[in-house]
């Protein structure tokens, strides 16, 4: 029977956002032309070109680093910490004031649903600035030494999955601790970082404190390898993380890495099953699964496997895939053609290896990059889809019989970013959380984030933490976390 | 002086709680500061290093899972047992490092005291480094430090006992297990330390001591996928960058070497523990 | 109102539970068995349930969907008056409104039922004769339920005798909270029997049960005892109907149908005052149990002031401009 309650389109208006046909680089407080090529950034939901942005060259990066160094030496370093904090408070407030604009632009450039950019990305980004603003004049109380000092110039390279939020995770602690910043946004999602540059202008942030150099991998490499960068922070793939770690080897640069993951989401037979199903959905389909801490491996106790999978499939059937700007969309567009190909390839491998693919009936738009929510059952720990990070809306389901087996399978990965555990038994939660080798453990919840809560990985998911008191250590000399 | 002929000790590796010779069968001559022969030390090979990593990994669950109080008592026990072997350590340090008896005594005392200092840290770390995080939602959210895992330690080349203890004890205090490459030219205090560890409640495999050449074994440890972190303090300076590069392959935590070997008598603070600690954050809803 | 689902449409691999008849008899054979069963139901995590309800509350229902939702919501209203000051005149006035909610617009649908105290059921019956609008009466010493079983059953018989099509009973929360589940069960069974042909809505008074775990257990207990509907609240206790408690009850009727094939309705009551609230509840139904429950046969909104807001919103959609309170009738 056709559902009589078919939601009419509820599109968020684009008119609040004014996307320029082209953008330069933000260096020393001004937008300037790049000295090299440009690249087009497209709306992944429509393949429409949104704008052209500069591809920063080594010379551009050098200009930005010099500006950052000057600002560090002359203005930001010597500034009263309380005043640094006030700038961050200003930025937080402007982000709140212009929240709708940021949310729409983020969804346009990234493809994520407006519901998420509006309710998660942008408010959390503002919260990060608000939280870190308060730290600026209280660093002596952070337990990181009596007079912790900044490194100087921080080179930061961020990914495309949460463009503004990852910017906030990087920029807010760097500025609060007295560093200046050269930020390289992701190739496919530069626009909110450029809008953020305008926020810096509105806040009267001194020139050079934040510099935004757009571009692709080579631009990022130039930032990382610049001799006058003191601190490198990177979020992205483990592969690129390795090459960055190699690049800074033997230098005095301090490095923090937030890399990939293949999180286990463990569901015991006594779990609050409806919330567990929500948590599984939130774990893997939030942000199209473009989440390093996504719960991409469901480990479900054999005795409830069929029940959980049936509930999960029913629930997935209600997910609304489509126009990211529609306020009722749950799953938006895959960020790029390249990422879509990667997802297709791994899903193909999953099928070839003998896992059972399930997808709900789901109409996908003709244009743009789309992939339906996908569940693989009968997955063995040896399958590629149980080991490789897909970074898409693809869940692999494995089973276990005992808590020991659950822990062993959960830890059987080279990653260690996050994990989930679902059970009503308190003592079991603590025992399992204790034994999981992962930086964040969500018990009876998943994919929660907060600026006061340290986030980061074990093993090949990277090192260093972002958020909280522990996150400050990455930006202070000789600071122990 | 009596005319009794002394019984010499065969110098061996300390690996998985046992004292094997190197699987390679190799040894090298160790001399005192003036060049006089002291002993033939086992010359650890890459395969010894491999076995040591297996032993350290095997010991990790139990050691990291022990209560902090228990780990503290074990480390304090090391100090107690070391104190009883003070004369032997003094003799070895004096010979190896060319120190006067008084200076050697001061070094040994400091090494014992360092164990005591770190023993007292085990059950403070979580209080000092952990946190309850006031998240903006109905969740209990807390962060605790946890050991990184198996740590490869290239021990200082000059300070053969105090330096060694200064790099090893902090790794253990946090709950890690260790594979240590000792000072190449001054390995004998480390060999004796192995005997102390074996008799002071430190479970086998928690510490593995390889006498030999950091320049030879270091790359194998740096590149080993089952080693989680590496302390390059005793790495040959010319090799440090290459070791850090190799370590990047498995995203190891790397403690870079100091420009020159530091004064080990200084207060070490937290700086040698935190590089080998992870922060784990756990969330749970608050509801009825 | 029993609805036997085509077994083929049952979700595969649902929780192996008692089938209709046989195993349920087992479950309700003793206090201990009933307790074991109810406490064996999956728990409800408060934060997760509230987060889910809040997320569904952000659905944006516009234009055609909104028009459909408003009319559907109107048709689901149990237009209620439960005051000590109620009179036949007031009930007749409410009945008139129930038949034709918007005097200026005959296309506005009628409501589902008029809900009154049992002594006024006859007045309502007469005023609604021939309309298809049902007469619902609260009974069993509503709202507290503090009376002896005999009094409660007499209350029910009286209301049914006065012409009530539907009986809204209250459970004995005291017995439930002190763990005397079988006592609560047996009382519902007795009331059901006293209802005869009248449909039975069982009010859990979730505001007094406090936890979602209790709401789920009480829902199951009521369904096992033969409830045709489970209803959140009397409206006399705060909190009354909330989105998350409605979510938990919808999950319970969904799971109950999957396990037994019998469909049970849900009625949030109390506190639903605005069109926005009503639409959120419809979204909750739509995305939790689906279209099968999107009719007045299976979902009701117990409310009084809600109707006028629905009518104002309806006028706004129809005319394109905002209306005002003088354009709907006072109750």
């Amino acid at each position: 029977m056709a559902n009589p309650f078919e939601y009419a389109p509820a599109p968020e208006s684009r008119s609040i956002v004014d996307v320029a046909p082209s953008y330069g680089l933000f260096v020393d407080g001004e937008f300037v032309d790049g000295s090299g090529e440009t690249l087009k950034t497209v709306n992944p939901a429509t393949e429409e070109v949104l704008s052209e942005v500069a591809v920063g060259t080594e010379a551009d990066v050098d200009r930005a680093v010099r500006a950052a160094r000057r600002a560090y030496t002359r203005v930001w370093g010597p500034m009263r910490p309380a005043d640094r904090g006030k700038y961050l408070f200003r930025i937080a407030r402007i982000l709140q004031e212009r929240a709708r604009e940021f949310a729409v632009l983020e969804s346009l450039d990234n493809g994520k649903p407006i519901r998420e950019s509006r309710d998660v990305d942008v408010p959390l980004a503002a919260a990060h600035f608000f939280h870190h603003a308060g730290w600026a004049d209280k660093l002596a109380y952070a337990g990181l030494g009596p007079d912790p000092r900044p490194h100087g110039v921080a080179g930061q390279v961020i990914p495309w999955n949460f463009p503004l939020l990852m910017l906030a995770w990087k920029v807010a602690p760097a500025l609060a601790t007295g560093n200046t910043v050269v930020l390289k946004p992701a190739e496919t999602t530069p626009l909110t970082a450029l809008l953020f540059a305008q926020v810096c202008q509105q806040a009267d942030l001194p020139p050079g404190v934040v510099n935004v150099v757009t571009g692709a991998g080579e631009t990022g490499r130039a930032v990382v390898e610049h001799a006058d960068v003191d601190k490198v922070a990177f979020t992205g793939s483990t592969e690129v993380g390795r090459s960055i770690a190699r690049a800074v080897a033997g230098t005095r640069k301090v490095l923090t890495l937030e890399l990939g993951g293949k999180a286990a989401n463990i569901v015991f037979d006594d779990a609050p099953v409806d919330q567990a199903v929500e948590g599984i959905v939130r774990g893997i389909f939030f942000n199209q699964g473009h989440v390093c801490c996504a719960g991409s491996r469901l480990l479900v106790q054999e005795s409830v496997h069929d029940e959980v999978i049936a509930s999960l499939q029913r629930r997935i059937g209600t997910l609304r895939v489509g126009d990211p700007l529609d306020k009722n969309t749950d799953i938006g567009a895959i960020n790029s053609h390249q990422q879509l190909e990667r997802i297709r390839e791994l899903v193909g491998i999953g099928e070839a290896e003998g896992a059972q693919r399930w997808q709900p009936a789901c109409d996908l738009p003709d244009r743009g990059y789309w992939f339906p929510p996908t569940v693989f059952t009968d997955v063995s720990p040896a399958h590629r889809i149980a080991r490789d990070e897909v970074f898409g809306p693809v869940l692999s389901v494995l089973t276990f019989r005992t808590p020991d087996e659950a822990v062993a399978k959960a830890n059987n990965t080279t990653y260690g970013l996050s994990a989930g555990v679902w059970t009503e038994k308190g003592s079991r939660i603590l025992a399992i959380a204790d034994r999981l080798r992962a930086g964040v453990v969500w018990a009876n919840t998943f994919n929660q984030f907060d600026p006061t809560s340290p986030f980061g990985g074990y093993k090949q998911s990277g090192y260093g933490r972002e958020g909280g008191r522990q996150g400050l250590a990455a930006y202070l000399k000789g600071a122990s976390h | 002086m009596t005319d009794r002929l002394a019984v010499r000790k065969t110098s061996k590796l300390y690996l998985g709680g046992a004292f094997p010779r190197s699987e390679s069968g190799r040894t090298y001559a160790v001399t005192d500061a003036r060049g006089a022969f002291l002993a033939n030390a086992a010359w650890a090979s890459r395969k010894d290093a491999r076995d040591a990593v297996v032993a350290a990994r095997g010991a990790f669950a139990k050691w990291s899972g022990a209560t902090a109080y228990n780990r503290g008592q074990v480390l304090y026990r090391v100090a107690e047992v070391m104190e009883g072997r003070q004369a032997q350590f003094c003799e070895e340090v004096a010979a190896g490092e060319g120190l006067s008896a008084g200076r050697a005594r001061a070094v040994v005392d400091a090494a014992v005291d360092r164990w005591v200092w770190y023993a007292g840290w085990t059950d403070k770390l979580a209080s000092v480094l952990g946190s309850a995080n006031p998240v903006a939602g109905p969740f209990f959210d807390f962060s605790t430090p946890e050991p990184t895992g198996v740590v490869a330690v290239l021990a200082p080349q000059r300070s053969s006992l105090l330096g060694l203890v200064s790099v090893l004890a902090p790794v253990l205090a946090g709950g890690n297990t260790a594979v240590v490459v000792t000072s190449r030219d001054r390995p004998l205090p480390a060999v004796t330390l192995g005997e102390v560890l074996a008799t002071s409640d430190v479970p086998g495999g928690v510490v593995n001591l390889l006498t030999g050449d950091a320049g030879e074994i270091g790359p194998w440890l740096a590149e080993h996928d089952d080693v989680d972190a590496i302390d390059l303090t005793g790495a040959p300076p010319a090799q440090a960058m290459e070791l850090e590069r190799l370590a990047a392959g498995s995203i190891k935590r790397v403690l870079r070497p100091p420009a020159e070997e530091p004064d080990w008598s200084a207060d070490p603070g937290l700086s040698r523990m935190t590089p080998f600690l992870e922060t784990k954050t756990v969330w749970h809803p608050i509801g009825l | 109102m029993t609805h036997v689902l085509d077994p083929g449409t049952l979700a595969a691999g649902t929780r192996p539970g008692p089938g209709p008849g046989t195993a349920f008899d087992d479950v309700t054979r003793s206090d201990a068995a009933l307790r074991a069963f109810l406490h064996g139901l999956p728990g409800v995590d408060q934060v997760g349930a509230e987060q889910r309800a809040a997320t569904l509350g952000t659905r944006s229902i516009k234009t055609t969907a909104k028009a459909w939702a408003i009319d559907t919501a109107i048709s689901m209203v149990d237009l209620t008056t439960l005051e000590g000051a109620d009179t036949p005149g007031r009930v007749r006035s409410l009945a008139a409104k129930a038949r034709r909610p918007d005097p200026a617009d005959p296309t506005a649908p009628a409501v589902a039922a008029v809900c009154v105290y049992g002594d006024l059921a006859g007045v309502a019956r007469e005023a609604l004769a021939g309309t298809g609008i049902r007469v619902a009466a609260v009974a069993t010493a509503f709202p507290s339920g503090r009376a002896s079983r005999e009094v409660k059953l007499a209350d029910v018989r009286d209301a049914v005798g006065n012409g009530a099509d539907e009986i809204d009973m209250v459970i004995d929360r005291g017995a439930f909270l002190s763990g005397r589940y079988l006592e609560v069960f047996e009382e519902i069974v007795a009331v059901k029997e006293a209802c005869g042909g009248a449909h039975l809505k069982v009010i859990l008074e979730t505001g007094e049960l406090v936890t979602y775990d209790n709401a789920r257990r009480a829902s199951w207990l009521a369904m096992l005892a033969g409830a045709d509907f489970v209803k959140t609240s009397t409206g006399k206790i705060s909190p009354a109907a909330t989105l998350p408690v409605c979510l938990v009850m919808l999950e319970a009727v969904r799971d109950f149908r999957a396990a037994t094939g019998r469909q049970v309705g849900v009625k949030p009551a109390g506190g639903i005052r605005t069109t926005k609230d009503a639409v959120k509840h419809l979204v909750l139904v739509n995305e939790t149990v689906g279209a099968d429950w999107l009719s007045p046969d299976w979902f009701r909104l117990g409310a009084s002031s809600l109707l006028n807001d629905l009518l104002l919103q309806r006028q706004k959609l129809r005319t394109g401009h905002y209306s005002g309170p003088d354009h709907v009738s006072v109750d």
Side-chain angles (χ1 to χ4, degrees):
Chain A
M1 161 172 114
N3 190 332
F5 195 12
E6 200 45 63
Y7 303 160
E12 179 64 64
S13 169
R14 263 183 84 150
S15 62
I16 193 166
V17 168
D18 190 12
V19 183
S22 69
Y23 288 92
L25 309 170
F26 184 67
V27 175
D28 212 8
E30 299 181 336
F31 283 93
V32 298
D33 291 337
S35 61
E37 308 280 300
T38 61
L39 61 80
K40 295 181 168 64
T41 184
V42 305
N43 178 344
T46 61
E47 299 177 54
E48 152 210 12
V49 173
L50 292 169
S51 185
E52 285 196 22
V53 303
V55 175
T57 61
E58 273 189 39
D60 296 327
V61 168
D62 184 56
R63 214 158 23 135
V65 173
R66 283 168 194 273
R69 174 63 61 193
R70 256 194 323 274
Y72 173 69
T73 314
R74 297 184 189 167
V75 187
W76 198 246
M79 185 180 288
R80 276 188 313 190
D83 288 345
R84 284 205 306 263
K86 282 183 182 171
Y87 278 112
L88 292 188
F89 279 124
R90 272 191 193 174
I91 290 171
R93 279 292 193 241
I94 297 173
L95 285 175
Q96 289 172 335
E97 288 156 10
R98 300 179 69 173
R100 191 54 56 92
E101 193 181 347
F102 270 103
V104 172
L105 186 60
E106 196 76 307
S107 284
L108 281 175
D109 203 18
N110 169 279
K112 67 175 64 200
I114 187 75
R115 180 169 66 76
E116 290 177 4
S117 51
R118 179 194 67 201
D119 296 346
V120 181
D121 294 59
V122 178
L124 264 181
H128 262 266
F129 279 97
F130 203 92
H131 173 74
H132 284 93
W135 270 125
D137 57 355
K138 299 167 193 70
L139 296 174
Y141 303 94
L144 302 170
D147 183 28
R149 309 297 305 165
H151 294 295
V153 175
Q156 306 181 319
V157 179
I158 58 172
W160 47 261
N161 57 343
F162 295 93
L164 180 71
L165 185 58
M166 290 301 103
L167 175 153
W169 282 28
K170 294 278 180 288
V171 174
L175 298 192
T177 48
N179 299 275
T180 57
V181 163
V182 176
L183 178 89
K184 208 289 282 181
E187 176 183 357
T188 59
T189 57
L191 294 183
T192 46
L194 293 164
L195 186 60
F196 178 80
Q198 292 176 24
V199 170
C200 294
Q201 288 179 323
Q202 281 191 338
D204 283 332
L205 191 71
V209 172
V210 169
N211 304 273
V212 179
V213 182
T214 51
E218 284 306 306
T219 311
R221 183 195 307 272
V223 171
V224 168
E225 294 185 358
H226 194 288
D228 203 33
V229 163
D230 302 294
K231 152 81 198 170
V232 174
F234 171 75
T235 296
S237 72
T238 294
E239 201 44 54
V240 175
R242 279 192 192 102
S243 67
I244 290 178
R246 283 190 194 105
V248 305
T251 70
R252 59 185 171 75
K253 290 174 194 169
V254 180
L255 178 63
T256 43
L257 297 172
E258 205 270 88
L259 308 175
K262 190 75 187 177
N265 204 357
I266 305 170
V267 177
F268 283 95
D269 61 1
D270 66 343
V273 70
D274 288 297
Q275 287 71 50
V277 166
E278 283 309 311
I280 296 164
V281 167
R282 186 189 178 95
I284 187 61
F285 300 123
F286 175 58
N287 204 37
Q288 297 72 247
H290 301 328
V291 186
C292 45
C293 52
S296 52
R297 287 185 297 150
L298 173 62
L299 284 174
V300 59
Q301 193 155 10
E302 272 186 23
S303 52
V304 290
H305 173 273
D306 293 353
E307 175 195 353
V308 169
I309 297 307
S311 299
L312 182 62
Q313 290 178 343
R314 177 178 36 70
R315 173 69 179 89
I316 293 171
T318 69
L319 289 171
R320 307 173 64 85
V321 186
D323 180 8
L325 284 190
D326 190 306
K327 292 177 217 167
N328 293 325
T329 291
D330 298 313
I331 298 186
I334 301 303
N335 178 250
S336 66
H337 185 258
Q338 190 191 357
Q339 186 58 29
L340 181 59
E341 287 304 309
R342 157 95 179 155
I343 295 167
R344 285 178 175 155
E345 184 199 337
L346 276 163
V347 165
I349 291 171
E351 285 181 273
E353 285 178 329
Q356 297 300 311
R357 178 175 59 85
W358 178 89
Q359 291 164 329
C362 174
D363 291 331
L364 300 177
D366 297 331
R367 288 183 63 77
Y369 316 129
W370 304 94
F371 201 85
T374 301
V375 176
F376 275 107
T377 49
D378 294 339
V379 178
S380 131
H383 288 163
R384 285 273 303 278
I385 49 169
R387 310 197 71 78
D388 290 14
E389 185 176 38
V390 179
F391 223 63
V394 180
L395 178 69
S396 297
V397 183
L398 298 91
T399 61
F400 67 91
R401 293 156 298 174
T402 64
D404 284 351
E405 187 182 357
V407 169
K409 284 185 169 170
N411 286 338
N412 181 218
T413 164
T414 56
Y415 295 112
L417 187 51
S418 65
V421 54
W422 298 84
T423 166
E424 288 270 276
K425 189 171 176 181
S427 55
R428 180 185 288 153
I429 288 169
L430 296 175
I432 300 291
D434 194 49
R435 292 167 62 193
L436 289 170
R437 301 290 289 162
V440 183
V441 177
W442 286 294
N444 290 327
T445 187
F446 209 94
N447 271 348
Q448 305 286 345
F449 309 96
D450 193 273
T452 66
S453 180
F455 180 94
Y458 283 34
K459 304 202 274 186
Q460 297 196 21
S461 289
Y463 39 75
R465 291 294 177 268
E466 295 183 289
R469 195 179 63 73
Q470 292 85 342
L472 296 173
Y475 290 95
L476 292 166
K477 267 187 195 155
S480 28
H481 60 91
Chain B
M1 281 293 261
T2 67
D3 56 0
R4 178 174 176 272
L5 188 64
V7 178
R8 284 183 182 169
K9 182 169 77 183
T10 304
S11 177
K12 295 189 186 178
L13 308 177
Y14 179 51
L15 206 163
F19 295 91
R21 296 184 166 90
S22 169
E23 63 74 39
S24 66
R26 301 181 306 176
T27 60
Y28 65 105
V30 177
T31 61
D32 69 13
R34 293 190 182 130
F37 176 80
L38 290 173
N40 288 311
W43 187 356
S45 68
R46 65 178 169 88
K47 289 188 182 173
D48 294 320
R50 175 200 64 191
D51 294 347
V53 171
V54 171
R57 176 62 64 195
F60 178 69
K62 191 177 166 197
W63 181 243
S64 62
T67 65
Y69 178 50
N70 179 247
R71 275 205 304 274
Q73 291 191 86
V74 170
L75 298 190
Y76 184 75
R77 178 73 181 153
V78 175
E80 289 177 340
V81 177
M82 232 184 125
E83 183 100 358
R85 295 247 212 157
Q86 191 188 59
Q88 183 184 358
F89 278 115
C90 284
E91 196 178 308
E92 287 170 351
V93 166
E97 299 183 18
L99 302 180
S100 69
R103 293 267 304 162
R105 171 74 194 257
V107 163
V108 172
D109 287 349
V112 173
D113 290 352
R114 187 123 304 158
W115 282 110
V116 174
W117 197 72
Y118 279 113
W121 258 117
T122 57
D123 58 359
K124 319 294 183 292
L125 284 172
S127 310
V128 170
L129 302 175
S131 54
N133 310 310
V135 298
F139 296 95
F140 180 53
D141 186 79
F142 63 99
S143 298
T144 49
E146 288 199 344
T148 294
V150 173
V151 179
V153 178
L154 307 186
Q157 295 300 330
R158 296 161 64 92
S159 181
S160 59
L161 182 67
L162 178 56
L164 171 67
V165 171
S166 297
V167 296
L168 174 60
V171 166
L172 302 184
N176 298 285
T177 57
V179 175
V180 183
V181 183
T182 69
S183 165
R184 181 190 185 287
D185 296 338
R186 303 168 174 180
L188 298 187
V191 173
T192 304
L193 181 66
E195 293 157 16
V196 165
L197 294 168
T199 53
S200 46
D201 306 333
V202 178
V206 169
V207 180
N208 303 277
L209 298 167
L210 305 175
T211 49
D213 185 1
E216 178 193 333
I217 303 171
W220 294 100
L221 291 171
E223 212 174 8
H224 198 306
D225 280 338
D226 206 30
V227 171
D228 299 296
I230 187 163
D231 177 352
L232 297 179
T233 298
Q239 238 179 308
M241 179 162 135
E242 178 55 20
L243 290 170
E244 189 178 343
R245 282 221 175 105
L246 291 172
S250 58
I251 313 291
K252 280 183 186 59
R253 290 86 179 113
V254 175
L255 185 58
R256 288 179 178 149
E260 55 187 65
E261 198 173 311
D263 171 11
W264 293 107
S265 65
D267 175 359
L270 290 169
S271 64
R272 301 202 70 90
M273 285 188 286
T274 55
F276 309 115
L277 292 171
E278 310 289 323
T279 296
K280 178 184 278 177
T281 299
V282 180
W283 293 67
H284 196 277
I286 299 173
L288 296 172
Chain C
M1 219 191 289
T2 347
H3 173 103
V4 179
L5 193 75
D6 172 8
T9 67
L10 279 175
T14 43
R15 178 174 288 269
T22 52
F24 277 144
D25 295 345
D26 254 14
V27 158
T28 55
R29 136 192 115 232
S30 69
D31 225 352
L34 185 53
R35 181 186 182 79
F37 175 78
L38 294 176
H39 286 256
L41 292 167
V44 184
D45 183 79
Q46 181 192 340
V47 172
E50 290 176 355
Q51 211 160 43
R52 171 69 179 146
T55 304
L56 285 174
T58 69
R59 288 292 191 217
S60 179
I61 304 303
K62 300 290 186 200
T63 61
T64 51
K66 187 171 186 181
W68 184 90
I70 288 174
D71 279 7
T72 303
I74 293 172
S75 75
M76 289 172 166
V77 166
D78 277 8
L79 195 59
T80 302
T81 184
L82 294 171
E83 303 300 330
D86 285 346
T87 58
R90 163 141 177 91
V91 170
R92 276 193 285 270
S93 146
L94 210 64
K97 177 146 186 160
R99 301 167 72 145
R100 189 156 174 185
D102 187 342
D105 183 358
T107 65
V111 304
V114 167
C115 182
V116 295
Y117 272 110
D119 62 328
L120 290 166
V123 179
R125 169 81 287 152
E126 202 172 301
L128 293 170
T131 62
I133 298 170
R134 328 239 325 163
V135 175
V138 297
T140 65
F142 181 95
S144 72
R146 293 262 62 87
S148 64
R149 172 100 30 110
E150 277 318 303
V151 173
K152 293 181 188 179
L153 293 178
D155 197 10
V156 172
R157 286 187 207 105
D158 179 57
V160 172
N162 287 342
D165 303 303
E166 302 175 353
I167 294 297
D168 289 21
M169 72 168 286
V170 291
I171 65 163
D172 183 343
R173 283 88 74 190
F176 183 92
L177 289 171
S178 60
R180 288 176 276 131
Y181 296 133
L182 198 59
E183 196 177 315
V184 182
F185 173 84
E186 283 166 349
E187 186 161 288
I188 299 172
V189 170
V191 170
K192 172 75 179 168
E193 199 185 326
C195 281
H199 287 168
L200 176 62
K201 303 198 199 93
V202 177
I203 301 172
L204 311 180
E205 197 64 300
T206 52
E208 288 184 346
L209 302 186
V210 181
T211 67
Y212 297 123
D213 287 331
N214 278 343
R216 171 169 287 178
R217 288 171 189 152
S219 298
W220 272 86
L221 188 155
M223 292 187 290
L224 289 172
D228 298 303
F229 259 74
V230 285
K231 175 177 171 183
T232 59
S233 324
T234 60
K236 306 295 183 190
I237 292 286
S238 184
T242 64
L243 278 181
V245 91
C246 190
L247 170 68
V248 168
M249 290 168 66
L250 286 165
E251 289 165 352
V253 299
R254 178 199 69 200
D255 295 346
F256 186 78
R257 188 180 76 171
T260 68
R262 187 166 83 85
Q263 185 163 341
V264 173
V266 175
K267 177 181 172 183
I272 304 169
R273 295 191 181 84
T274 65
T275 300
K276 206 170 181 172
D277 289 341
V279 172
K280 283 181 183 179
H281 276 89
L282 292 185
V283 166
L284 205 62
V285 173
N286 192 34
E287 300 200 32
T288 309
V289 289
D292 289 358
W293 268 266
L294 278 173
S295 90
D297 288 344
W298 302 109
F299 195 73
R300 296 281 182 84
L301 297 159
S304 44
S305 62
L306 168 67
L307 182 57
N308 271 348
D309 194 61
L310 286 166
L311 294 170
L312 286 171
Q313 292 294 326
R314 196 172 185 279
Q315 288 172 7
K316 157 71 174 63
L317 268 188
R318 220 161 35 83
T319 64
H321 60 258
Y322 293 104
S323 188
D326 287 349
H327 295 263
V328 291
S329 57
V330 294
D331 296 331

